[in-house]
Amino acid sequence: EAQRSYGALHTWIRYVPVPPTVITETPHMLESTVQTLTVPESDLHEVAVDLIVEILRMYPSHIPQNELLVQKLIPLLLSMLQPAFDRAMQHTTQPGHEHDEEDENMR
């Protein structure tokens, strides 16, 4: 059920000119989608990623009408995904991990 809902929302955002306020005013829609991103083994992970990417693509930050959506989404993404990023960085700094030049430039 949830997978079909995410898929339908993804299609709706992609093909229908949905005002950004509809997304920001839909209770818990952004929060639950971003929360799904923190569980990579979830059956909903891929469709949630697709939905977030489509929102970012269809509502660019340089358009004034999208300001509220961007102001809500970016901090939400950063706060919910920061722990996953931190864990990934810890993994790459553990002994036995081969560092390449790209890893070093990321620090």
Side-chain angles (χ1 to χ4, degrees), residues 54-66:
E54 194 63 24
I55 289 171
L56 292 170
R57 188 179 79 78
M58 294 302 293
Y59 301 95
S61 61
H62 69 276
I63 298 177
Q65 298 92 311
N66 299 335

Side-chain angles (χ1 to χ4, degrees), residues 2-50:
Q3 189 163 12
R4 289 193 332 201
S5 296
Y6 279 138
L9 185 55
H10 175 268
T11 301
W12 185 50
I13 288 170
R14 183 176 215 163
Y15 296 108
V16 178
V18 178
T21 53
V22 171
I23 297 169
T24 57
E25 294 174 1
T26 302
H28 308 292
M29 196 272 300
L30 288 175
E31 292 86 352
S32 65
T33 304
V34 173
Q35 183 64 39
T36 301
L37 298 179
T38 66
V39 186
E41 60 276 357
S42 168
D43 293 340
L44 300 175
H45 187 264
E46 189 172 331
V47 292
V49 168
D50 291 344

Side-chain angles (χ1 to χ4, degrees), residues 62-96:
H62 69 276
I63 298 177
Q65 298 92 311
N66 299 335
E67 187 175 325
L68 184 61
L69 176 58
V70 171
Q71 287 176 348
K72 185 173 183 179
L73 182 60
I74 298 303
L76 187 61
L77 284 169
L78 292 175
S79 70
M80 288 193 168
L81 297 177
Q82 186 66 46
F85 177 78
D86 291 343
R87 283 191 304 275
M89 290 306 293
Q90 280 182 336
H91 173 73
T92 62
T93 60
Q94 291 177 352

